[in-house]
Amino acid sequence: MSGFSLDLAVWSGATATLLLLTKLAAPSPRHDRLAGLCLLLAFFAASAGMASAAGQGGALPAWCLYCSPLLALYWILETEFATRLLGLVPAALVTLGPLLIGHERLVGAPRPVWTTITDAGLIIAMAFLTLALGTWALLLPLRVVPAVQARKTARMFVINPPVLAELAFRCNTWALPFVVGASASALLGIRPGHVPGEVLLWLLGSLVGNLGYATLARRDGPSWALLLLAGAVTMAAFGWRGLPGSPPVAP
């Protein structure tokens, strides 16, 4: 089941990415509808993979834990802002995320509880932080793609720098409780030897970047605060890589 869900999620994300890139050249509401269906399918594929693993009493695939919250947050934000282009970011992340995380990575037993909590918190935090950072990548088509800039197609691309700033700020804010939770569990897991000490240091660095961006982005706009957001993503990734590994997914 996990293998089928993984393939379905990745191919759905790739199809949505292709559709939204095509929309940049030939704006059409049809692309939005088809890409939305693909992202919805990817969400159900990731959720089904997670539910299947949980129903069998086993550990959860890390890629499911990454993709499901990522897509859920996307739908929450898109329902409010209706940017009609934000889907390009989660589509690309769903396509590449499972490949970078690895389908063999598991979260849960038989690893110790503090390792599991730290791992889960880190993965969900990385999902929200990468969505926040990726949102700013939409500045590129906003500035260089003629169709996005043209007034006659503006209704196809309801997006501008203030909207991007608000979207990134909210994604970063959603990540904050998970970074804090992962840091707390890492601290508690150091003494019994469940979590390496360097993982806590990476997490604290990520927390500083997370809080720094939340503070400065509201006051000064993106500017160099983006470096803090990029640093939070990078340090969270190093912390996650420093956690003890998990057994491979059974075929």
Side-chain angles (χ1 to χ4, degrees), residues 13-28 31-36 39 74 84-92 156-157:
T15 304
T17 302
L18 181 60
L19 286 167
L20 291 170
L21 288 175
T22 302
K23 178 186 174 179
L24 294 177
S28 169
H31 295 130
D32 292 324
R33 290 193 293 268
L34 292 175
L39 289 173
Y74 159 71
R84 301 177 187 173
L85 192 59
L86 179 61
L88 184 58
V89 180
M156 301 288 182
F157 303 97

Side-chain angles (χ1 to χ4, degrees), residues 9-77:
V10 170
W11 282 108
S12 296
T15 304
T17 302
L18 181 60
L19 286 167
L20 291 170
L21 288 175
T22 302
K23 178 186 174 179
L24 294 177
S28 169
R30 184 181 304 171
H31 295 130
D32 292 324
R33 290 193 293 268
L34 292 175
L37 288 174
C38 289
L39 289 173
L40 192 60
L41 185 59
F43 174 70
F44 281 121
S47 300
M50 190 158 54
S52 175
Q56 296 173 3
L60 304 179
W63 71 268
C64 292
L65 206 56
Y66 177 85
C67 292
S68 291
L70 173 74
L71 290 168
L73 180 57
Y74 159 71
W75 284 114
I76 291 172
L77 295 175

